[in-house]
């Protein structure tokens, strides 16, 4: 295991620290030391140590609150812009992804079709691997249990997700960062199709026949990539 992977593993080995990372990842706004301390019933100094450790390995970033409120400025913590995969040692996958995607797209329409199929297969395999690592009884699992499983899987891919059941039985799914953000800037249409297929593969593994509809995209200036997941009876 290389040095970066060891640091990342060490930082997340502590269960409280991992839970704090998830808490910050799930928060819609940056969090303070005091908010973390209250959430986990720990002393603010302990919370600050955990947050600093996560910042040291580039999982979080922090900055001073310049809102203009009186008193000493508090420190705000948020998910880092650097996407970190928690399942694999860090390597230069970006260059490899660019080469593979550019090679496929040079083949024209057939290459894009292959790229989208690859994305779907990746999503399916990720979900199956997650089920093997954290077993779940798919025949009897509740909606809440399945969504919790999916949420954990997507967080492990370095994404900041939000999943909300809607009254009509569909799901609202948002991500506030993108694993493929740099590559998507070069090949926006094709990479988004591939990423959407990857997400569809994940949801299909848990729910069977679904339809993933993209409602908003960060590449179009939106705050998040937002999807509606329409579920159909098995």
């Amino acid at each position: 295991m290389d040095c970066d992977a060891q640091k990342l593993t060490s930082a997340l080995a502590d269960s409280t620290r991992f839970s704090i990372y998830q808490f910050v990842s799930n928060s819609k706004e940056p969090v303070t030391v005091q908010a973390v301390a209250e959430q986990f019933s720990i002393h603010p100094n302990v919370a600050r140590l955990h947050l600093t450790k996560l910042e040291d390995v580039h999982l979080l970033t922090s900055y001073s609150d310049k809102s203009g409120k009186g008193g000493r400025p508090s420190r705000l913590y948020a998910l880092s812009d650097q996407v970190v995969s928690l399942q694999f040692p860090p390597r230069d996958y970006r260059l490899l992804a660019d080469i593979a995607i550019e090679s496929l797209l040079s083949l024209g329409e057939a290459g894009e079709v292959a790229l989208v199929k690859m994305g779907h297969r990746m999503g399916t395999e990720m979900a199956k691997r997650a089920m093997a690592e954290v077993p779940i009884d798919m025949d009897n699992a509740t909606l809440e249990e399945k969504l919790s499983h999916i949420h954990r899987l997507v967080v492990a891919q370095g994404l900041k997700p939000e999943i909300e059941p809607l009254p009509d039985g569909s799901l609202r799914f948002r991500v506030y960062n993108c694993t493929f953000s740099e590559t998507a800037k070069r090949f926006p249409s094709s990479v988004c199709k591939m990423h959407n297929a990857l997400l569809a593969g994940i949801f299909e593994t848990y729910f069977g026949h679904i339809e993933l509809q993209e409602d908003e995209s960060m590449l179009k200036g939106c705050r998040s990539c937002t999807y509606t997941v329409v579920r159909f009876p098995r």
Side-chain angles (χ1 to χ4, degrees), residues 30-84:
V31 304
T32 63
V33 170
Q34 189 61 38
V36 171
E38 293 174 359
Q39 175 70 21
F40 294 94
S41 300
I42 56 179
H43 193 278
N45 288 342
V46 176
R48 185 176 292 105
L49 287 173
H50 282 305
L51 290 165
T52 299
K53 184 69 174 180
L54 292 169
E55 186 175 16
D56 287 344
V57 295
H58 309 297
L59 285 169
L60 301 182
T61 185
S62 71
Y63 54 91
S64 295
D65 182 5
K66 298 180 180 180
S67 61
K69 297 177 181 179
R72 183 179 177 181
S74 59
R75 201 77 185 162
L76 298 177
Y77 292 83
L79 192 68
S80 171
D81 289 337
Q82 177 180 335
V83 177
V84 179

Side-chain angles (χ1 to χ4, degrees), residues 1-2 15 23-24 36 39-40 42 51-52 58-59 66 70 77 123 126 132 134 137 142-143 172 188 198 211 224 230:
M1 183 181 294
D2 61 30
S15 60
F23 173 67
V24 178
V36 171
Q39 175 70 21
F40 294 94
I42 56 179
L51 290 165
T52 299
H58 309 297
L59 285 169
K66 298 180 180 180
Y77 292 83
M126 287 176 184
V134 183
D137 182 357
T142 64
L143 173 62
R172 176 67 42 76
L198 184 152
E211 180 181 335
S224 67
V230 181

Side-chain angles (χ1 to χ4, degrees), residues 33-188:
V33 170
Q34 189 61 38
V36 171
E38 293 174 359
Q39 175 70 21
F40 294 94
S41 300
I42 56 179
H43 193 278
N45 288 342
V46 176
R48 185 176 292 105
L49 287 173
H50 282 305
L51 290 165
T52 299
K53 184 69 174 180
L54 292 169
E55 186 175 16
D56 287 344
V57 295
H58 309 297
L59 285 169
L60 301 182
T61 185
S62 71
Y63 54 91
S64 295
D65 182 5
K66 298 180 180 180
S67 61
K69 297 177 181 179
R72 183 179 177 181
S74 59
R75 201 77 185 162
L76 298 177
Y77 292 83
L79 192 68
S80 171
D81 289 337
Q82 177 180 335
V83 177
V84 179
S85 171
L86 306 186
Q87 291 187 338
F88 305 101
R91 290 189 175 89
D92 191 5
Y93 287 120
R94 184 177 300 167
L95 176 60
L96 180 61
D98 279 348
I99 293 172
I101 291 172
E102 189 166 358
S103 298
L104 280 173
L105 296 181
S106 69
L107 302 176
E109 184 178 348
E112 182 175 89
V113 170
L115 181 66
V116 172
K117 286 184 177 179
M118 180 184 69
H120 187 273
R121 186 175 71 248
M122 286 174 57
T124 302
E125 291 176 355
M126 287 176 184
K128 289 180 178 178
R129 186 163 57 244
M131 289 177 178
E133 293 174 352
V134 183
I136 179 173
D137 182 357
M138 290 296 293
D139 292 331
N140 299 303
T142 64
L143 173 62
E144 183 179 23
E145 288 170 337
K146 290 182 179 181
L147 294 184
S148 176
H149 220 262
I150 292 173
H151 187 275
R152 184 179 182 86
L153 165 60
V154 178
V155 167
Q157 295 305 314
L159 294 176
K160 184 178 179 180
E162 181 181 291
I163 312 176
E164 174 190 6
L166 298 178
D168 63 1
S170 63
L171 307 170
R172 176 67 42 76
F173 178 66
R174 292 186 176 92
V175 290
Y176 292 89
N177 60 343
C178 178
T179 309
F180 304 101
S181 58
E182 294 302 319
T183 310
K185 292 175 183 176
R186 296 183 60 199
F187 314 103

